[in-house]
Amino acid sequence: MGVYLPSVELIARVQRGEPAAIGRLISRAESGMAEARDALARIHKLAGRAHVVGMTGVPGSGKSTLVSQLAQRLRAGGDKLGIIAIDPSSPYSGGSILGDRIRMSDLSADPGVYIRSMATHGATGGMARAALEAVDILDAAGFGVIILETVGVGQDEVEIVRASHTTVVVSAPGLGDEVQAIKAGLLEIADIHVVSKCDRGDANRTLTDLKQMLTLGIHEQAPSDWAVPVIGTSSVSGEGLDELLGAIARHRDLASDTDAGRARRKSIAEFRLRKTAENLLYDRFNAATAAASAKLAEQLMRRESDPYSLAEELLSTTLEGEGDHERDVHSKSA
Amino acid sequence: MSQPIRVLLAKVGLDGHDRGVKIVARALRDAGMDVIYTGLHRSPEEVVTAAVQEDVDVLGVSLLSGVQMTVFPKIFDLLRTNGADDMIVVAGGVMPDEDVVNLKKMGVSEVLLQDTPPQLIIDTLTCLVEERGAR
Amino acid sequence: MNETFTQNPLEKLRGEIEHWESNEVAAFLSKQAERKEQFFTTGDFPVQRVYTAADIAETPLEDIGLPGRYPFTRGPYPTMYRSRVWTMRQIAGFGTGEDTNKRFKYLISQGQTGLSTDFDMPTLMGYDSDHPMSDGEVGREGVAVDTLADMEALYEGIDLENISVSMTINPSAWILLAMYVALAEKRGLDLNRLSGTIQADILKEYMAQKEFIYPIAPSVRIVRDCISFCGRNMKRYNPINISGYHISEAGASPLQEAAFTMANLIVYVEEVLKTGMNVDEFAPRLAFFYVSQADLFEEVAKFRALRRCYARIMKERFGAKNPESMRLRFHCQTAAATLTKPQYRINIVRTAFQALAAVLGGCQSLHTNGYDEAFAIPTEDAMRLALRTQQVIAEETNVTNVIDPVGGSYYLESLTNEFEKRIFEILDYVDENGGAIKLIEEGWFQKQIADFAYETALRKQSGEKPVIGVNTMVEEDENQEIETHPYDYSTADRQIARTKRVRAERDNARVETLLEELVSVAKDETRNIMPVTIELVREGATMGDIVEKLKPVWGTYRETPVF
Ligand code: B12
Ligand SMILES: Nc1nc2c(ncn2[C@@H]2O[C@H](COP(=O)(O)OP(=O)(O)OP(=O)(O)O)[C@@H](O)[C@H]2O)c(=O)[nH]1
Ligand SMILES: [Mg+2]
């Protein structure tokens, strides 16, 4: 790409589906630079056509393998497909080895599939900060289906529901106490449950356990006439994959024209709004309080004041100090 | 807090020597970088596709099989056709000195061979990315 | 319980050691501390200041035993190098069959006593030379073999009934074995007089060397077929070389190297037993391959402990009756990954010490690396010098006159015991966690290897692990000039020309029929894949024809890397 290209100039190229431009704009979104904000705003307007499928489940449950298999089938049907694969950052170094892509290497020669790996960089909820911007960018670039694979933390992954039109929860046999894993907040969020690795003998038990558990709970925002299916799949034999694709398609059609579907879309929008505001607040707070918090910490350490009062004080410095705090890599080095 | 450096580590062709590349991956992660590893037996096309989609700062190719003079010209061609010629390309593994000279002429920024201490690899990549500046 | 040491002398000895520690040792330490607080072997076993009879007082004398007798700690044969020294087996492979054939003949003329063949990456991975994946790789890292015609050229003029031939080949091993059989039959040789080996140890490929084609289950089935075919038809041939070498070179510790081979052994034996064969029908032909590293005593202890573990496993776990099923025989290679580019002549010295460890450890055959190891595949000159190194040990040092000459050293016996204990601990872990195949699928072995490899890299970086010429005794402005093996860019054309000729001249309909037969054999677990493969290669099928035909049947393997 050579010289620094302003982000807005990337838009047209993103719309033409140029991989380098898509990649670059996602990087700009990830960096959170102010320079990219206009471009991302325009991209958001251009987006809105793609069906976003969230894929979550405990680590090693077979999400990436499943995504790869689904993708090959979707491609055979002509859909252009975007995949955003999120892996955790190391809590020690902040770095990461992003491994999902390897499981998807059967797709790697296909220009109709765009895979982007992202690290959490401290974000919670199994998501990465710019994951939703990345969805918009791929959407605007004409990818009709976008699959979001979250971190397999098995806890607190509910954010995926607020980001995807259809949420698939993957469980696998042989990963310890299966029901336990499902209990970790994942049971209720699924629009579709998958039990992967059905080529293994112990998969049946997982299937039965899961179905039993499901009869106890009710999905919070499913369309009322949606009965959450439980589908056994195997990426070894290919079993269940077409069924899963069928279920995803049915869920998409059903949600497009129902109250429940509209409610889901609204809650996605609201989540997006709040999340974005939260991120802004977080950045501003951090930037504005860096100096003050060190000073106030001294007072706390000496017990000259209490945590609540000092925290209030810290907050007030932030809110007063409103201004342009965003990082702007561009202006620094252009 | 700036974005971590993104690196794609690739093994191209039939080469299965992965001891070194795995050490590099781990060292870079432990230095705070985001590392994507292609896995073994990839073609230049697959590697470049991945590097472009991932928009990595650095494409690092590990080769111990001697095919560097076949592989790198393909990689650079593909980077150009993809409009990604600002990507930093580095190489490591086992290569003869005269190939190293030619690879550098071709556009490889740095070639780090046997017994390069991991810290030196970290420092080299960090330096290359800093020199490149924003993008 | 033990006749050598009665209670009293032993107690007396322990008392003396204590006294010595608090007097002589303490006096010295008060003046100058030792170089380190704790010393370790390369594989991280802590070692004592000195070993005495007290350290092996618990060791039953039968555990040490005698050469050629259970548990074979001291050697697989009763006379060892006194009858015949190890086979000197320098590996060779580059270019086409003709090119490597010349090297073979040169090495034989220099006194080499066995052959060992390195193949190029396409052959190792089952691609024909004209497959797109082979671009740039034909004949580069070894010799290219696509068809029987290549193999004919490779061993042309070599007396296969009188020299043993080893082939470093794994996922595609069965095809090369088939070619070897077809070649021998064509020459009218007696299959039962052929000696040599294919490596064919597929499990360590998933763990370490990373040459794989098919998923684990069908790959293990191929190994099973090779073992049972050879057990019935090639009495002197080793159908497998269970290898620690690659595990070690991928970064494992000596203990991991040793233990992981035993874990793999167990899988192979169990698989063959399932076919209904008796363990004594095939176990005598199981062979092994290990590295020999720089830590001389640790290596010798490793080899000795391995022989003892193997004997116990075969006898106790598998109920072998024939002592030949219990004696571990191994090929050895010095440690390539210890060799350096800077001051590369030091590699000759390193290799000599490592070779000595192999000999003191009782290897059956040996490859010594060339001084140019860190540069490219070896030149004739480097191989001759490496061969001479072996010849010096064999002819000039007299270490060959006495069997297991370091046996009985308190240190060595203690370390041997320690190795044995820890090998069985690892095997227990493997058993408790579902066996070697499951742990390969879960990446357990790979993780152990990667961890030790990373640790080693950090220790070299910090200088904790000295490497002369690299992190200590560095020569600034060193002249690294060296003549290296050149790659002949005409190789691919020459090679592909022959493959095309074979394809043009063969009976394609016949090959097609046989390929369909191959598929049905592949689908039927109970049948042996060797006979139809032999038929195929005889009819001019290429390696690629056979390998590609089975990919849709069995699928391919893609690894999940662990870091
Ligand atoms: C260990 C080793 C093996 C092991 C590999 C285990 C594994 N999983 O990695 C085993 C025994 C399996 C093996 C097998 C073979 N090997 Co080998 N092997 C070596 C050896 C001795 C050391 C390589 C090594 O791992 N070093 C230690 C690591 C840490 O160093 P490294 O890989 O160089 O990595 C460092 C740097 O290079 C750098 N680096 C590496 N990658 C990258 C990437 C980037 C982006 C950066 C910045 C840096 C970087 O950082 C690392 C840390 O310092 C070399 C010779 C040598 N001394 O170099 C031969 C060598 C590479 N092998 C060779 C050959 C021929 C083979 C075989 C083809 C033999 C055969 N015919 O059967 C097979 C092929 C296996 C396969 N699947 O590809 C040849 C290659 C010849 C050539 N290039 O011209 C060599 C040079 C030996 C020789 N002289 O013949 N081998
Ligand atoms: N037998 C079998 N194994 C499978 C199947 N799907 C995935 N696996 C294996 O399960 C392991 C984990 O698969 P991944 O796809 O990486 O799982 P994941 O959920 O994406 O893992 P994380 O991203 O690390 O949380 C791999 O070893 C796969 O080969 C399947 O259908 N059958
Ligand atoms: Mg995954």
Side-chain angles (χ1 to χ4, degrees):
Chain A
M1 242 170 234
V3 286
Y4 189 95
L5 264 183
S7 297
V8 283
E9 287 179 27
L10 292 171
I11 296 175
R13 295 175 51 195
V14 166
Q15 283 187 282
R16 284 199 298 273
E18 282 180 34
I22 298 170
R24 185 57 47 85
L25 196 55
I26 296 179
S27 301
R28 301 243 172 105
E30 273 198 295
S31 77
M33 58 190 355
E35 189 274 337
R37 194 157 299 156
D38 267 356
L40 292 172
R42 282 199 240 166
I43 286 283
H44 185 261
K45 284 210 189 85
L46 294 167
R49 284 164 299 171
H51 185 65
V52 183
V53 179
M55 192 73 77
T56 189
V58 295
S61 53
K63 299 181 289 293
S64 302
T65 313
L66 188 62
V67 169
S68 172
Q69 301 270 336
L70 291 181
Q72 287 170 62
R73 281 173 159 69
L74 283 167
R75 285 295 294 147
D79 287 309
K80 271 178 70 184
L81 187 93
I83 297 168
I84 295 162
I86 304 166
D87 268 329
S89 300
S90 154
Y92 306 106
S93 70
S96 66
I97 296 177
L98 305 168
D100 293 323
R101 193 177 184 106
I102 290 188
R103 298 248 64 99
M104 304 177 190
S105 42
D106 286 332
L107 307 169
S108 52
D110 181 354
V113 180
Y114 197 107
I115 307 173
R116 178 71 175 216
S117 312
M118 287 186 156
T120 50
H121 297 153
T124 53
M127 295 277 273
R129 253 181 89 156
L132 301 180
E133 279 84 358
V135 168
D136 283 349
I137 294 165
L138 289 173
D139 187 337
F143 291 88
V145 179
I146 296 165
I147 303 184
L148 252 175
E149 178 187 336
T150 70
V151 177
V153 288
Q155 290 277 355
D156 300 329
E157 271 168 294
V158 279
E159 283 200 1
I160 187 101
V161 196
R162 316 252 189 263
S164 56
H165 303 117
T166 303
T167 304
V168 179
V169 174
V170 185
S171 310
L175 293 176
D177 190 342
E178 293 87 21
V179 179
Q180 217 35 45
I182 297 158
K183 266 189 198 156
L186 291 180
L187 188 66
E188 299 82 10
I189 67 165
D191 299 306
I192 299 167
H193 273 291
V194 165
V195 172
S196 66
K197 313 189 191 182
C198 274
D199 47 286
R200 294 173 41 141
D202 43 353
N204 259 337
R205 222 202 90 200
T206 315
L207 268 171
T208 336
D209 285 355
L210 186 56
K211 281 180 184 155
Q212 238 158 40
M213 291 296 294
L214 266 181
T215 52
L216 305 176
I218 289 170
H219 191 275
E220 45 177 304
Q221 22 164 243
S224 51
D225 42 359
W226 180 254
V228 177
V230 181
I231 301 171
T233 65
S234 164
S235 24
V236 177
S237 69
E239 176 192 338
L241 296 172
D242 288 328
E243 193 186 338
L244 174 55
L245 280 179
I248 293 172
R250 269 191 294 118
H251 187 259
R252 169 193 199 155
D253 294 344
L254 190 71
S256 70
D257 201 31
T258 55
D259 286 343
R262 271 183 292 278
R264 173 78 163 258
R265 285 193 295 278
K266 182 162 176 231
S267 101
I268 291 173
E270 191 173 350
F271 171 73
R272 177 76 179 270
L273 179 61
R274 295 192 65 87
K275 198 71 194 171
T276 311
E278 226 173 73
N279 286 340
L280 283 179
L281 205 58
Y282 180 83
D283 281 352
R284 288 179 193 172
F285 176 76
N286 276 343
T289 56
S293 73
K295 222 172 54 215
L296 295 176
E298 288 279 324
Q299 292 183 33
L300 184 61
M301 192 181 69
R302 291 194 296 268
R303 294 188 186 271
E304 290 168 6
S305 179
D306 65 288
Y308 285 105
S309 316
L310 290 171
E312 287 288 356
E313 199 177 328
L314 195 62
L315 274 180
S316 62
T317 57
T318 327
L319 299 176
E320 279 159 26
E322 274 309 301
D324 200 351
H325 305 294
E326 293 102 44
R327 287 156 287 151
D328 195 336
V329 186
H330 179 206
S331 60
K332 226 190 315 178
S333 47
Chain B
M1 180 196 80
S2 69
Q3 279 299 104
I5 293 173
R6 283 171 76 80
V7 183
L8 184 90
L9 291 178
K11 295 285 314 177
V12 190
L14 298 174
D15 185 14
H17 291 93
D18 63 355
R19 175 177 176 167
V21 77
K22 282 162 64 165
I23 288 169
V24 175
R26 212 158 142 166
L28 296 181
R29 178 199 61 194
D30 292 350
M33 300 186 194
D34 284 339
V35 180
I36 300 147
Y37 174 48
T38 58
L40 295 171
H41 310 145
R42 306 267 64 100
S43 67
E45 288 77 11
E46 291 173 312
V47 165
V48 171
T49 302
V52 170
Q53 293 183 347
E54 299 289 356
D55 190 39
V56 288
D57 298 290
V58 181
L59 166 58
V61 180
S62 166
L63 267 185
L64 287 85
S65 57
V67 294
Q68 53 280 352
M69 301 317 287
T70 309
V71 159
F72 278 95
K74 292 187 190 170
I75 289 181
F76 280 107
D77 271 356
L78 287 159
L79 283 173
R80 263 187 300 274
T81 46
N82 275 280
D85 22 12
D86 62 347
M87 198 172 286
I88 299 166
V89 179
V90 298
V94 173
M95 296 168 197
D97 295 342
E98 63 270 23
D99 286 3
V100 171
V101 173
N102 287 323
L103 289 174
K104 289 200 171 154
K105 278 188 203 145
M106 215 181 283
V108 177
S109 301
E110 207 46 82
V111 183
L112 300 166
L113 303 179
Q114 293 105 308
D115 289 311
T116 310
Q119 189 57 47
L120 184 60
I121 298 176
I122 296 165
D123 295 343
T124 307
L125 299 201
T126 310
C127 205
L128 286 169
V129 172
E130 266 168 23
E131 277 167 18
R132 184 210 56 202
R135 46 163 213 169
Chain C
M1 175 192 132
N2 196 309
E3 289 135 58
T4 323
F5 307 103
T6 51
Q7 275 296 75
N8 282 342
L10 195 61
E11 261 164 35
K12 189 164 162 251
L13 175 60
R14 291 202 172 113
E16 247 175 67
I17 297 168
E18 230 168 83
H19 188 261
W20 170 76
E21 295 267 2
S22 49
N23 288 273
E24 287 92 335
V25 175
F28 259 66
L29 289 181
S30 69
K31 281 181 236 134
Q32 190 183 14
E34 290 175 329
R35 286 181 293 113
K36 291 177 192 171
E37 275 202 9
Q38 175 67 58
F39 289 78
F40 294 94
T41 64
T42 301
D44 278 350
F45 290 12
V47 292
Q48 295 168 197
R49 180 170 292 120
V50 71
Y51 289 79
T52 68
D55 293 297
I56 56 168
E58 315 285 315
T59 310
L61 286 178
E62 322 74 87
D63 273 12
I64 300 170
L66 289 166
R69 175 179 281 189
Y70 188 86
F72 300 99
T73 312
R74 310 197 69 181
Y77 302 117
T79 57
M80 292 297 285
Y81 307 141
R82 288 167 64 99
S83 332
R84 192 171 73 77
V85 299
W86 63 93
T87 304
M88 296 179 189
R89 198 188 290 283
Q90 296 303 101
I91 208 162
F94 58 88
T96 62
E98 286 83 356
D99 301 333
T100 299
N101 183 266
K102 274 194 213 115
R103 173 69 64 87
F104 280 155
K105 287 179 177 160
Y106 172 79
L107 288 168
I108 292 172
S109 78
Q110 295 301 309
Q112 172 156 314
T113 51
L115 295 183
S116 178
T117 324
D118 249 349
F119 296 94
D120 68 358
M121 285 317 300
T123 309
L124 292 169
M125 298 290 291
Y127 292 105
D128 280 345
S129 298
D130 51 1
H131 190 284
M133 282 303 276
S134 306
D135 189 16
E137 317 233 20
V138 178
R140 191 185 277 279
E141 290 191 276
V143 59
V145 173
D146 297 327
T147 65
L148 179 57
D150 300 328
M151 175 128 3
E152 283 175 47
L154 179 60
Y155 298 122
E156 190 274 322
I158 289 167
D159 179 2
L160 300 182
E161 283 186 346
N162 284 302
I163 191 161
S164 67
V165 176
S166 157
M167 296 193 263
T168 304
I169 189 86
N170 290 282
S172 52
W174 97 99
I175 303 172
L176 286 194
L177 176 61
M179 289 182 189
Y180 199 68
V181 169
L183 171 65
E185 285 174 344
K186 213 167 165 178
R187 288 198 196 165
L189 305 179
D190 178 356
L191 289 189
N192 279 321
R193 291 189 56 185
L194 299 182
S195 67
T197 180
I198 44 173
Q199 198 164 81
D201 170 11
I202 196 70
L203 294 177
K204 66 94 174 56
E205 295 298 328
Y206 302 109
M207 288 179 185
Q209 180 161 243
K210 311 300 172 79
E211 290 160 12
F212 32 66
I213 302 171
Y214 307 115
I216 301 179
S219 300
V220 170
R221 178 256 175 114
I222 296 175
V223 176
R224 177 203 75 179
D225 287 357
C226 290
I227 298 177
S228 61
F229 178 83
C230 292
R232 299 209 162 99
N233 303 290
M234 302 172 81
K235 294 279 177 275
R236 285 179 62 207
Y237 197 82
N238 300 327
I240 188 167
N241 241 257
I242 302 173
S243 309
Y245 178 80
H246 315 82
I247 295 173
S248 166
E249 291 276 297
S253 73
L255 172 67
Q256 291 165 345
E257 177 201 12
F260 295 177
T261 58
M262 291 294 112
N264 291 344
L265 160 80
I266 289 169
V267 174
Y268 297 129
V269 173
E270 284 174 350
E271 282 303 309
V272 183
L273 289 178
K274 279 188 216 156
T275 66
M277 246 181 158
N278 181 296
V279 65
D280 289 320
E281 272 182 88
F282 63 91
R285 299 311 319 167
L286 297 176
F288 292 80
F289 173 16
Y290 292 101
V291 78
S292 188
Q293 300 255 20
D295 190 327
L296 191 133
F297 285 98
E298 180 171 48
E299 293 303 296
V300 178
K302 177 183 81 183
F303 299 132
R304 298 172 89 249
L306 273 162
R307 278 193 295 264
R308 195 147 84 203
C309 290
Y310 178 70
R312 296 205 207 284
I313 291 170
M314 296 310 287
K315 184 175 183 190
E316 289 159 21
R317 184 169 182 141
F318 294 117
K321 299 278 183 305
N322 181 354
E324 288 183 14
S325 304
M326 306 172 204
R327 58 174 197 206
L328 179 147
R329 300 162 304 128
F330 70 100
H331 170 69
C332 198
Q333 179 168 339
T334 54
T338 64
L339 304 186
T340 62
K341 213 169 168 182
Q343 303 180 46
Y344 63 84
R345 287 181 191 82
I346 308 173
N347 293 339
I348 301 170
V349 182
R350 293 189 176 106
T351 299
F353 281 116
Q354 295 166 3
L356 182 63
V359 169
L360 294 177
C363 68
Q364 277 53 64
S365 107
L366 179 61
H367 166 95
T368 31
N369 293 313
Y371 55 78
D372 55 359
E373 173 66 27
F375 293 81
I377 60 171
T379 59
E380 208 167 83
D381 185 61
M383 281 300 97
R384 188 185 57 248
L385 207 53
L387 179 61
R388 296 284 179 264
T389 305
Q390 294 196 39
Q391 288 161 343
V392 167
I393 297 175
E395 307 290 343
E396 297 182 4
T397 65
N398 281 348
V399 295
T400 50
N401 293 356
V402 175
I403 302 169
D404 189 28
V406 264
S409 140
Y410 303 128
Y411 173 37
L412 184 70
E413 295 297 350
S414 302
L415 211 49
T416 304
N417 291 342
E418 186 67 19
F419 253 96
E420 182 190 3
K421 189 180 110 218
R422 295 202 197 191
I423 288 171
F424 278 116
E425 279 167 11
I426 293 178
L427 291 179
D428 286 344
Y429 178 88
V430 172
D431 280 341
E432 282 157 19
N433 287 279
I437 291 184
K438 176 150 178 286
L439 288 181
I440 290 173
E441 284 169 347
E442 290 171 5
W444 182 79
F445 296 103
Q446 297 90 310
K447 176 71 179 152
Q448 302 287 308
I449 296 169
D451 281 348
F452 201 77
Y454 193 53
E455 188 61 36
T456 304
L458 295 183
R459 285 178 190 174
K460 278 194 199 173
Q461 170 170 280
S462 71
E464 184 190 335
K465 184 181 172 65
V467 183
I468 307 295
V470 170
N471 60 12
T472 175
M473 310 296 156
V474 179
E475 268 176 30
E476 305 298 340
D477 310 317
E478 181 207 340
N479 179 6
Q480 276 194 5
E481 224 146 272
I482 182 173
E483 199 156 319
T484 56
H485 176 90
Y487 177 62
D488 174 357
Y489 278 87
S490 77
T491 307
D493 290 344
R494 287 187 286 132
Q495 175 60 23
I496 291 169
R498 177 158 52 211
T499 305
K500 290 202 162 132
R501 203 194 65 222
V502 172
R503 286 198 199 111
E505 288 171 1
R506 70 190 184 188
D507 176 349
N508 273 318
R510 174 86 184 118
V511 170
E512 275 313 312
T513 315
L514 284 169
L515 283 173
E516 290 315 317
E517 169 66 8
L518 175 73
V519 168
S520 57
V521 173
K523 284 180 175 160
D524 182 354
E525 275 271 338
T526 64
R527 296 178 67 190
N528 192 304
I529 200 163
M530 285 308 301
V532 65
T533 312
I534 295 169
E535 197 63 19
L536 269 162
V537 298
R538 198 183 282 138
E539 294 293 333
T542 66
M543 174 175 276
D545 292 334
I546 297 171
V547 167
E548 294 300 330
K549 190 76 189 174
L550 294 175
K551 282 183 181 171
V553 180
W554 282 334
T556 53
Y557 181 82
R558 178 120 336 129
E559 79 159 353
T560 306
V562 286
F563 296 90

